[in-house]
Amino acid sequence: MKLENLIRIENGEKVQHTFSDAEYANRQAKLRDLMARENVDAVLFTSYHNINYYTDFLYCSFGRKYGVVVTQKKVVSISANIDGGQPWRRTVGDYNVVYTDWQRDNFFRAVQGEIENKGRVGVEFDQMPVDVLAKLKAALPDAEFVDISAQTMRMRMIKSAEEIEVIKNGAAVCDVGGAALAAAVHAGVPEHEVALASTQAMVREIARRYPHSELMDTWTWFQSGINTDGAHNPVTTRKVQEGDILSLNCFSMIAGYYTALERTMFFDHCSDEHLRLWKINVEVHEAGLKLIKPGARCSDIAHELNKIYAEYGLLKYRTFGYGHSFGVLSHYYGREAGLELREDIDTVLEENMVVSMEPMIMLPQGLPGAGGYREHDILVIGKKDATNITGFPYGPEKNIIAA
């Protein structure tokens, strides 16, 4: 029996997509305009974010390679046999090619079948391993490979009306998760149980709002005590104690679109020094919310907020940038690095960009007021100002949870 390198699995019916056909057509048309300007004959996307952005297919790698080929005439996804017909059902494009495991490097045979061995081929150097690039060059020896990651990132930074609607819904889902988290906190409850309550509430809310969607990747980080020192510290089995500083971190994922809600909280009571530091961080947060508007430069926002921390002698305890873009991203893939509120980013905010304001300071164990403090709101940039789409309250008046 001959086992094929490449097959088609058009199983079932096409699904209802996250966005309209017109939305995907517009994205693909803008990409083709870029290709024409840069004299690129074909593009091979291999990243989670761009494959999802252009085709509505969010793959699960599990050690295998995935791709989308775009030319002026076609859009084709390339997926592994292990996924069956799901990639075909989800792909907004012409067809899906499935490569099998029966021979090594069948992914590159699929690429050979979809991209001509000539001209300029756009790829994403920012996330492509050296060995994959070497195999691509061997598969298409007469092609020139050029980087298109920065240009496509810039295109993703400006959101469409449909994207903004999904992001707004995601922020509302996070508010639901935040309420469930706060309700689950009590003396002796482990972090993981609090996080589970929040995540379950968000998944159910996404299912209610998007009944035709795939439900994957929504999660919660709930941290207490010393575990609040890192913004991305995992959930543990530590049990909440009276007087604990707490970090609420709710992350809803709708079709690969990440939104977040993050809050400082305390359980039962808050010491005087903790309260002083918390209020300072809220002061920085509120100042940052006012600075986010069209025409503002990311680096200028960071420098202005640094001044407030410096006045209180706390700048050395700041841990990361003041915010970032939203869209197709996650904790394990994707990032619009050109739209972060940091001292080394000079991007100017424009209408229909979406960014967070999330100042954080961390005082290590042994110091009065030890712990990590962080507030996080999401703002949509308009023509003249910005709209805050986060509804969950912040600050000491609302987030000291009674025992």
Side-chain angles (χ1 to χ4, degrees):
M1 177 181 177
K2 185 178 184 301
L3 299 174
E4 299 293 335
N5 299 324
L6 307 174
I7 58 177
R8 300 280 186 93
I9 307 178
E10 297 183 357
N11 189 39
E13 304 295 331
K14 287 284 190 177
V15 300
Q16 179 176 320
H17 291 292
T18 306
F19 301 104
S20 68
D21 291 343
E23 171 77 10
Y24 290 106
N26 185 51
R27 295 180 188 185
Q28 294 170 7
K30 288 181 178 179
L31 174 63
R32 284 169 169 147
D33 288 343
L34 171 66
M35 293 166 62
R37 292 196 305 271
E38 298 294 326
N39 193 29
V40 171
D41 300 283
V43 167
L44 172 64
F45 288 123
T46 50
S47 68
Y48 290 98
H49 41 280
N50 274 327
I51 290 176
N52 188 43
Y53 184 77
Y54 289 104
T55 70
D56 202 30
F57 169 42
L58 183 61
Y59 66 82
C60 175
S61 174
F62 236 112
R64 292 175 170 84
K65 299 171 183 65
Y66 292 76
V68 162
V69 173
V70 181
T71 70
Q72 293 296 344
K73 295 183 178 180
K74 66 182 179 181
V75 175
V76 178
S77 60
I78 300 173
S79 62
N81 194 17
I82 194 171
D83 295 315
Q86 185 263 353
W88 172 78
R89 292 193 295 273
R90 289 230 60 96
T91 296
V92 178
D94 293 278
Y95 53 91
N96 169 252
V97 175
V98 176
Y99 69 90
T100 68
D101 284 350
W102 316 137
Q103 295 82 25
R104 185 177 297 276
D105 290 335
N106 277 345
F107 172 81
F108 299 98
R109 293 184 177 90
V111 172
Q112 284 178 314
E114 302 302 327
I115 298 178
E116 293 187 69
N117 183 25
K118 63 179 184 179
R120 285 162 56 87
V121 177
V123 294
E124 300 165 273
F125 285 164
D126 64 343
Q127 64 83 53
M128 179 171 285
V130 173
D131 66 321
V132 173
L133 181 58
K135 288 182 178 182
L136 278 177
K137 289 180 176 179
L140 303 172
D142 295 331
E144 176 190 0
F145 291 92
V146 297
D147 183 34
I148 61 160
S149 57
Q151 296 100 316
T152 53
M153 177 187 68
R154 177 68 188 181
M155 292 165 67
R156 295 196 315 274
M157 282 161 50
I158 306 296
K159 311 303 178 191
S160 69
E162 290 190 28
E163 284 183 286
I164 290 172
E165 184 64 22
V166 166
I167 293 169
K168 286 181 177 179
N169 277 321
V173 170
C174 287
D175 289 341
V176 170
L181 184 152
V185 175
H186 59 265
V189 64
E191 290 177 358
H192 69 274
E193 291 295 340
V194 177
L196 283 170
S198 170
T199 300
Q200 289 174 348
M202 288 192 289
V203 170
R204 288 170 178 146
E205 183 65 13
I206 294 171
R208 185 185 72 81
R209 291 172 181 254
Y210 294 91
H212 301 287
S213 65
E214 295 175 341
L215 300 169
M216 58 188 294
D217 298 332
T218 292
W219 84 104
T220 300
W221 285 322
F222 172 68
Q223 300 138 351
S224 62
I226 194 171
N227 294 334
T228 64
D229 66 348
H232 300 155
N233 288 355
V235 170
T236 74
T237 59
R238 184 186 184 277
K239 296 179 180 179
V240 173
Q241 306 167 34
E242 291 183 358
D244 268 349
I245 185 172
L246 311 172
S247 285
L248 174 158
N249 305 270
C250 300
F251 308 103
S252 73
M253 295 289 291
I254 301 172
Y257 275 73
Y258 163 100
T259 46
L261 167 68
E262 301 170 15
R263 291 288 185 258
T264 303
M265 293 177 153
F266 279 81
F267 179 60
D268 185 59
H269 65 272
C270 177
S271 74
D272 290 343
E273 184 60 13
H274 280 108
L275 183 61
R276 184 184 78 87
L277 295 167
W278 191 4
K279 287 182 176 179
I280 292 170
N281 209 54
V282 167
E283 179 183 339
V284 175
H285 181 63
E286 291 178 340
L289 294 175
K290 294 176 182 177
L291 290 171
I292 293 178
K293 54 189 173 184
R297 193 178 301 275
C298 293
S299 56
D300 292 342
I301 294 173
H303 287 302
E304 283 299 309
L305 298 180
N306 282 346
K307 294 177 183 177
I308 303 176
Y309 279 138
E311 289 173 1
Y312 291 103
L314 294 173
L315 186 56
K316 64 181 178 180
Y317 298 118
R318 188 187 142 214
T319 63
F320 59 90
Y322 288 102
H324 57 80
S325 181
F326 286 80
V328 183
L329 59 95
S330 176
H331 58 312
Y332 64 88
Y333 65 82
R335 185 99 177 174
E336 293 167 7
L339 190 49
E340 296 194 27
L341 305 183
R342 297 182 355 184
E343 295 86 343
D344 59 342
I345 303 293
D346 291 326
T347 302
V348 175
L349 299 183
E350 301 177 30
E351 183 182 5
N352 293 333
M353 288 180 172
V354 182
V355 297
S356 61
M357 173 49 55
E358 50 177 311
M360 179 176 176
I361 52 173
M362 187 281 288
L363 278 75
Q365 193 173 54
L367 292 180
Y373 302 77
R374 185 166 74 262
E375 312 298 340
H376 178 296
D377 287 13
I378 301 174
L379 296 97
V380 178
I381 311 300
K383 290 183 181 296
K384 296 182 179 180
D385 52 17
T387 300
N388 191 330
I389 61 173
T390 298
F392 197 88
Y394 61 82
E397 293 77 15
K398 299 291 185 179
N399 287 326
I400 297 178
I401 301 174

